[in-house]
């Protein structure tokens, strides 16, 4: 594995579950939704159907909380055979509002690591999701001063990354991406000739999970804490 980072000039960071807690709120919301739908279906079936509905709606709504809430509302109508009450729909909407208004909980070592790295590297954020929600979280995080550029992407495929790097005049060989998702933050970057370091979060959305076949022998490094970057890059 090539772990030479001497050419790196720009470091990109995913936001959700890399800089701060995110997926935990979705898991809690799914549990609340299952409780509301308990009169109509089992919790396991509700989870399965909600996930299918989210994936079905991705091309329409994109990633983020708003699309998730719309999928919950649509699923509630379908599961209940149009019997769900207005009161329950209101409770579903309130789940979404709670998620949107939730505090931003930074992960360990984030600010001190960004402060150190920003002295030697240009730092950027490459995240996906709802623009307004991501902007709100970045503002609440008090981390924006460390970043030269923030890009909210509609998706994180190879073509999306290539477009952003080209727009910012960044050579892939000079770019390092840090993120929690192998599917979105690591493998696409390795495939276009950039470096990537994986920092797993304790829970990963099913849509972001990849198998051994997809990973293959791709060259990337895995760390457990962001502070390990300082040692790796020095």
């Amino acid at each position: 594995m090539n772990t030479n980072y001497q050419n790196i000039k720009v470091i990109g960071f995913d936001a959700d579950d890399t800089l701060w807690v995110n997926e935990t709120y979705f898991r809690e919301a799914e549990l609340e939704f299952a409780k509301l739908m308990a009169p109509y279906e089992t919790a396991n079936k509700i989870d399965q159907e909600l996930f299918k509905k989210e994936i079905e709606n991705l091309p329409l709504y994109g990633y983020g909380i708003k699309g998730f809430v719309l999928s919950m509302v649509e699923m509630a109508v379908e599961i209940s055979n149009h019997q769900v009450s207005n009161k329950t729909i209101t409770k579903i909407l309130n789940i979404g509002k709670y998620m949107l208004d939730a505090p931003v909980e930074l992960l360990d070592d984030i600010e001190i690591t960004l402060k150190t790295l920003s002295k030697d590297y240009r730092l950027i954020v490459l995240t996906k999701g709802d623009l307004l929600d991501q902007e709100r979280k970045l503002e609440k995080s008090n981390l924006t001063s460390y970043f030269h550029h923030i890009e909210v992407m509609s998706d994180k495929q190879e073509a999306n990354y290539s477009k952003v790097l080209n727009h910012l005049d960044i050579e892939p060989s000079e770019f390092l991406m840090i993120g929690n998702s192998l599917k979105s933050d690591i493998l696409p970057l390795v495939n276009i000739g950039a470096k990537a370091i994986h920092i797993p979060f304790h829970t990963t959305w099913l849509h972001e999970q990849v198998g051994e076949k997809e990973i293959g022998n791709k060259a990337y490094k895995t760390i457990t804490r962001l502070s390990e970057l300082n040692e790796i890059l020095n």
Side-chain angles (χ1 to χ4, degrees):
M1 182 186 298
N2 184 357
T3 54
N4 182 353
Y5 302 102
Q6 291 181 347
N7 293 331
I8 299 303
K9 295 180 180 178
V10 183
I11 302 177
F13 290 86
D14 171 52
D16 292 336
D17 300 318
T18 298
L19 299 178
W20 52 65
V21 173
N22 177 67
E23 195 60 26
T24 303
Y25 293 118
F26 282 85
R27 296 290 82 78
E28 291 172 352
E30 287 166 353
L31 289 173
E32 288 301 311
F33 179 67
K35 289 178 184 177
L36 290 174
M37 293 294 101
Y40 307 106
E41 192 52 88
T42 65
N44 188 52
K45 181 69 172 178
I46 292 166
D47 281 346
Q48 291 176 359
E49 293 302 314
L50 177 59
F51 176 71
K52 283 163 59 177
K53 183 60 66 178
E54 287 180 80
I55 301 306
E56 178 186 316
N57 285 335
L58 273 180
L60 287 172
Y61 303 144
Y63 295 90
I65 294 171
K66 292 176 186 176
F68 174 65
V69 173
L70 287 169
S71 293
M72 283 195 292
V73 170
E74 193 174 342
M75 203 66 258
V77 172
E78 291 184 13
I79 286 178
S80 69
N81 195 24
H82 297 265
Q83 298 303 306
V84 66
S85 68
N86 291 337
K87 183 177 180 180
T88 299
I89 294 296
T90 299
K91 288 181 178 179
I92 293 171
L93 294 175
N94 285 337
I95 291 173
K97 288 179 180 179
Y98 170 80
M99 293 173 73
L100 288 166
D101 199 41
V104 172
E105 180 186 344
L106 296 182
L107 295 174
D108 292 342
D109 309 324
I110 294 299
E111 186 157 16
I112 185 64
T113 302
L114 293 178
K115 186 175 182 179
T116 302
L117 292 175
S118 63
K119 297 173 184 176
D120 300 310
Y121 302 92
R122 183 152 56 108
L123 307 184
I124 66 175
V125 172
L126 298 180
T127 186
K128 68 182 178 185
D130 179 73
L131 178 60
L132 188 63
D133 184 38
Q134 293 295 340
E135 288 179 341
R136 175 192 62 80
K137 286 189 282 193
L138 280 160
E139 191 66 32
K140 281 188 174 183
S141 73
N142 294 317
L143 298 176
T144 52
S145 62
Y146 297 112
F147 298 110
H148 285 76
H149 180 78
I150 294 166
E151 186 88 17
V152 180
M153 306 164 69
S154 60
D155 205 348
K156 283 184 165 182
Q157 307 285 340
E158 293 170 29
N160 303 102
Y161 281 112
S162 294
K163 183 178 179 180
V164 172
L165 294 184
N166 184 58
H167 178 70
L168 298 176
D169 292 321
I170 301 170
E171 291 293 332
S173 61
E174 298 174 343
F175 184 67
L176 169 66
M177 182 68 184
I178 313 296
N180 69 291
S181 169
L182 286 172
K183 181 177 180 178
S184 292
D185 305 318
I186 307 302
L187 301 182
L189 275 305
V190 173
N191 289 340
I192 65 171
K195 292 285 197 301
I197 293 180
H198 183 219
I199 178 165
F201 190 63
H202 63 79
T203 182
T204 302
W205 186 30
L206 183 60
H207 183 60
E208 294 293 334
Q209 295 176 17
V210 295
E212 290 296 326
K213 185 177 180 180
E214 294 171 272
I215 296 171
N217 59 353
K218 300 294 174 63
Y220 66 89
K221 191 174 185 66
T222 299
I223 59 177
T224 56
R225 297 175 70 93
L226 199 67
S227 57
E228 294 176 49
L229 278 177
N230 296 320
E231 183 178 341
I232 291 169
L233 296 174
N234 288 333

